[in-house]
Amino acid sequence: MERIKKNMVAVLIGLLSPFFLTAQPGAALNFDGLNDQVRVPVSTMGAFTIEFWMRTTQTGPNGTQWYHGVGIADAEVGGAVNDYGVSLLGSKIAFGTGNPDVTITSTSNVNTGNWVHVAAMFTSNPNGYMWLYINGVLEASLDPGVSSNARNTNANIALGSIQTNIRYFNGDMDEFRLWNRVLSACEVQSRMNCELTLPQTGLLRYYQFNQGIAGGNNTSVTSITNLIAGGNGVISGMALTGSSSNFIAPGAVTSGVSCPQVFISVESNSNVINDNATTTSTLNNTNFGTVCSGPTPITNTYTVFNNLTAPLSLGNFTITGTNAPSFSVSTLPSSTIAPASSAVFGITFFPTTTGAKTAAISFTTDNCNTTIYNFALSASVIASPTITVNSGSICSGNSFVINPSGADTYTFSSGSPTVSPTSTTTYTVIGTNTLGCVNSNSALATVSVVLSPTIVVNSAAICSGQSYTLSPLGASSYTYSSGPVVTPSATTTFTIIGSDSGCLSTNAAIATITVNPIPTVSISQSNTLICSGQNSTLSASGATNYTWSTGAITPVVVISPSITTSYTVTGTSLGCSATAIITQAVSPCTSISENLLNEPLKVYPNPSNGMIIAELKAEAEIALMDIDGRIIFIVNKQIGKHEIDLRNYSKGFYFIIFTTQTKTEITKLILE
């Protein structure tokens, strides 16, 4: 009925146009079909919607592709390229794309002389899809599987002809809109009979043709105003005067009649958040403010109000943008909101990294006036201090100073940085910088308590001249007043201090080393010379216990050697030992009283000062024996006189023993 009223009004205006048409503002644009054209400077991307009102009685040529017809909104380019266009093919609307060439056509005839709304849509995702709406009704669609390349080869769309300036449109056009997205059927149907309120998401070009004077002289008008900033259409070929090839009125859409306002709103903190809001504010919680970095998230809540008279469905809550990972939809609202009701959702911000953070939240609705509601989010994160703190160990009874760094002020779980634990203890430190941010890391100072060692050491007795190694126990290292190897000349006390993990012992260990003298052991014998088979008595003195080389353990032993023999005795007193040796001379006693070879033995001078002369009648061994029976000098001499030097020997009484192959003779000798 409304459409009938509008058509009746149009008829009346047409009848009365000679009287007042020229006084009306332009509301639509007439193309004369000869050379009229408007160039729209724009190139579309991978998805677009072209919609407009048209009125014609023209019949286009026949053909299979859109570029065979009369151009209405065309971006055709010769050859296999990514082009597109909407044309009049016969009595139908044709919508097509190139590379490869694919065209779909309406089922309705559009050259009836009535206003017809056309909406042609294309998307390249995933591999191309096309829709064609006539008067809000889907009349053709196709999934041709075409290339997903963007349809942006041509930088212009020609209104009123094929792009190559052929096959011109004869008719009227109103409300030309170009979008960079595919509209829903609801959007097409609810907005085609009214003028859009701006801004609109994805709207690239919007020509209402509400310019000039309808049917008047508009020759000074050279462009069609784009209600989106920039991108005015360039007029060519138009007379711009009279009722043809000029602005006309009325149009398909009554000028000044706006589409219904949005009846969905979002609030937070009792403040409205506008749809498509690109600025943020702490007043409505779209700006989370300046926060400290750390693991603690911040959650704001938002309320969606349904001011409609029908239920509202919500879905697809999505966060996008540079810092989208820093934001998360933590609570989803009810999927359906009753009329005049509301639902709450939450957004959580994670301040894990520093710097300015920006993102945007969007959600879909089933209300075609606001199919997508979105608004910007932001936050600023300043660095929380990272605290480092020292740990260490102390000896029991000592203190430790906790020394943190990385912040400006600190709070200690101990109440003070100086602690004196009795056992190993861990303390927590919280640091705060000048901006009030506390450390996000866990700053722990562990103070280990090491018990001071208690050491012991043994005392000992040694013999004079011996060394002793002090061997304390109870610590890992030691400090000695002397040592650890000591050689005291007399009984001495030594002090030892122990250390374990840097802790000194609580006591000083004392070791007393007793030094016992070494006994002076001597041997006396009852005879200096005996005959083979005779006895001699050896007596040891100077010690407490004795051990002889014969195995005897008494101080006095009786011996009967058959040959000259040396005897050893070891004397022990207080664990200290000394050794003495004595030689018992033994003679065959066959001619000890005879002179050598029946000749007197001549040794002179006797007594002597040490230089003696020995006369030998045969080769002999000459030995000098002291009174203890020790052979201290021995030499072999030939027959004759021999000078022997004994001046290096002590003065006293000695025996000279002459031994030949057959006899032994002993003579006393005095050195003075």
Side-chain angles (χ1 to χ4, degrees):
M1 181 63 68
E2 185 65 28
R3 177 60 55 79
I4 293 174
K5 291 180 180 179
K6 288 185 177 181
N7 289 339
M8 291 177 65
V9 171
V11 171
L12 289 173
I13 292 175
L15 293 174
L16 298 175
S17 61
F19 302 98
F20 60 87
L21 183 61
T22 56
Q24 289 183 308
L29 186 63
N30 175 261
F31 296 81
D32 64 8
L34 299 176
N35 61 351
D36 289 355
Q37 186 184 82
V38 176
R39 289 277 178 166
V40 177
V42 70
S43 61
T44 63
M45 298 302 291
F48 63 84
T49 297
I50 298 173
E51 62 170 329
F52 54 85
W53 283 93
M54 61 164 284
R55 180 173 60 183
T56 187
T57 58
Q58 184 181 13
T59 299
N62 296 320
T64 59
Q65 301 293 342
W66 92 92
Y67 49 79
H68 295 148
V70 169
I72 301 177
D74 185 72
E76 197 273 331
V77 178
V81 292
N82 298 319
D83 49 7
Y84 53 90
V86 179
S87 67
L88 181 64
L89 196 62
S91 60
K92 315 290 186 183
I93 284 293
F95 170 46
T97 62
N99 195 16
D101 292 335
V102 179
T103 297
I104 57 177
T105 57
S106 66
T107 57
S108 301
N109 293 331
V110 297
N111 57 348
T112 61
N114 297 318
W115 283 107
V116 174
H117 186 268
V118 177
M121 307 173 199
F122 171 84
T123 179
S124 61
N125 186 17
N127 57 359
Y129 205 97
M130 303 167 66
W131 299 266
L132 180 60
Y133 288 81
I134 302 298
N135 291 328
V137 178
L138 180 64
E139 293 198 354
S141 64
L142 184 65
D143 180 5
V146 299
S147 167
S148 61
N149 291 336
R151 305 291 159 177
N152 61 351
T153 298
N154 203 314
N156 291 279
I157 295 177
L159 303 184
S161 73
I162 296 297
Q163 180 75 234
T164 53
N165 299 324
I166 58 174
R167 292 192 288 281
Y168 287 87
F169 173 62
N170 186 352
D172 305 322
M173 180 177 290
D174 195 9
E175 285 289 311
F176 178 85
R177 306 165 184 172
L178 176 64
W179 308 77
N180 65 359
R181 63 184 180 90
V182 173
L183 302 182
S184 68
C186 174
E187 290 178 294
V188 173
Q189 295 161 0
S190 64
R191 299 175 181 178
M192 66 183 187
N193 292 312
C194 52
E195 294 179 340
L196 298 177
T197 56
L198 300 178
Q200 292 288 332
T201 301
L203 185 60
L204 299 178
R205 298 290 184 266
Y206 183 23
Y207 304 128
Q208 292 181 338
F209 303 111
N210 296 346
Q211 293 178 248
I213 303 299
N217 186 345
N218 299 298
T219 55
S220 62
V221 179
T222 60
S223 63
I224 304 298
T225 301
N226 178 28
L227 296 185
I228 309 300
N232 291 341
V234 179
I235 297 173
S236 66
M238 287 192 166
L240 294 176
T241 183
S243 60
S244 176
S245 186
N246 195 6
F247 294 100
I248 62 170
V253 174
T254 303
S255 299
V257 177
S258 299
C259 296
Q261 296 294 316
V262 174
F263 289 99
I264 301 169
S265 62
V266 176
E267 292 184 9
S268 184
N269 199 29
S270 299
N271 289 297
V272 174
I273 304 172
N274 294 324
D275 184 21
N276 298 315
T278 58
T279 59
T280 62
S281 171
T282 56
L283 297 177
N284 58 16
N285 287 332
T286 55
N287 186 332
F288 283 70
T290 300
V291 298
C292 302
S293 65
T296 304
I298 301 170
T299 299
N300 290 335
T301 58
Y302 306 83
T303 303
V304 182
F305 292 91
N306 179 12
N307 301 315
L308 303 172
T309 58
L312 176 68
S313 295
L314 306 180
N316 297 327
F317 280 75
T318 305
I319 293 180
T320 58
T322 303
N323 305 114
S326 296
F327 299 84
S328 173
V329 180
S330 54
T331 305
L332 289 173
S334 301
S335 58
T336 302
I337 305 177
S341 297
S342 62
V344 175
F345 68 95
I347 299 177
T348 299
F349 173 65
F350 301 90
T352 54
T353 58
T354 60
K357 308 297 179 182
T358 59
I361 173 73
S362 66
F363 59 88
T364 59
T365 80
D366 63 349
N367 179 268
C368 60
N369 290 314
T370 311
T371 58
I372 298 177
Y373 203 106
N374 68 84
F375 53 88
L377 301 170
S378 68
S380 180
V381 184
I382 58 177
S384 294
T386 298
I387 304 301
T388 58
V389 65
N390 59 321
S391 294
S393 62
I394 60 172
C395 302
S396 55
N398 291 342
S399 298
F400 182 84
V401 178
I402 302 173
N403 186 23
S405 62
D408 297 291
T409 59
Y410 303 93
T411 302
F412 303 87
S413 60
S414 56
S416 169
T418 302
V419 295
S420 301
T422 57
S423 61
T424 298
T425 305
T426 297
Y427 301 92
T428 301
V429 181
I430 297 175
T432 306
N433 62 17
T434 55
L435 299 174
C437 295
V438 299
N439 55 300
S440 57
N441 66 316
S442 179
L444 302 176
T446 299
V447 181
S448 301
V449 178
V450 180
L451 296 178
S452 298
T454 300
I455 61 170
V456 294
V457 66
N458 290 333
S459 295
I462 62 171
C463 299
S464 177
Q466 289 183 335
S467 296
Y468 180 78
T469 301
L470 301 173
S471 299
L473 298 174
S476 58
S477 62
Y478 304 92
T479 301
Y480 303 84
S481 60
S482 181
V485 178
V486 295
T487 310
S489 59
T491 298
T492 305
T493 297
F494 299 94
T495 302
I496 305 170
I497 297 174
S499 175
D500 195 357
S501 300
C503 296
L504 298 178
S505 57
T506 56
N507 65 310
I510 306 297
T512 300
I513 306 302
T514 301
V515 179
N516 295 318
I518 297 175
T520 302
V521 179
S522 63
I523 304 172
S524 62
Q525 59 190 155
S526 59
N527 298 302
T528 64
L529 180 64
I530 63 173
C531 295
S532 177
Q534 290 182 335
N535 292 333
S536 179
T537 300
L538 304 180
S539 299
S541 62
T544 303
N545 301 302
Y546 303 94
T547 300
W548 294 88
S549 56
T550 62
I553 58 173
T554 58
V556 178
V557 295
V558 177
I559 58 173
S560 299
S562 59
I563 61 174
T564 298
T565 305
S566 294
Y567 295 89
T568 302
V569 68
T570 300
T572 304
S573 294
L574 300 175
C576 299
S577 299
T579 301
I581 301 174
I582 196 169
T583 301
Q584 180 65 60
V586 179
S587 174
C589 296
T590 55
S591 57
I592 197 165
S593 62
E594 299 178 0
N595 289 331
L596 183 63
L597 299 178
N598 298 317
E599 293 290 336
L601 173 63
K602 293 183 180 179
V603 176
Y604 55 87
N606 187 5
S608 170
N609 62 359
M611 292 298 296
I612 64 172
I613 296 175
E615 291 186 6
L616 300 178
K617 297 297 184 178
E619 181 182 350
E621 178 184 84
I622 303 172
L624 181 66
M625 182 174 69
D626 64 14
I627 61 173
D628 293 324
R630 294 183 295 229
I631 302 299
I632 62 175
F633 174 82
I634 190 169
V635 67
N636 290 312
K637 295 296 183 179
Q638 301 295 325
I639 298 171
K641 291 182 179 180
H642 301 282
E643 187 176 60
I644 299 174
D645 187 355
L646 300 176
R647 288 176 295 182
N648 289 331
Y649 296 96
S650 301
K651 296 177 181 180
F653 179 77
Y654 296 89
F655 296 97
I656 293 180
I657 304 172
F658 294 88
T659 303
T660 66
Q661 292 182 352
T662 59
K663 295 180 180 181
T664 299
E665 184 173 322
I666 298 176
T667 299
K668 294 180 181 178
L669 175 65
I670 297 174
L671 296 179
E672 59 180 13

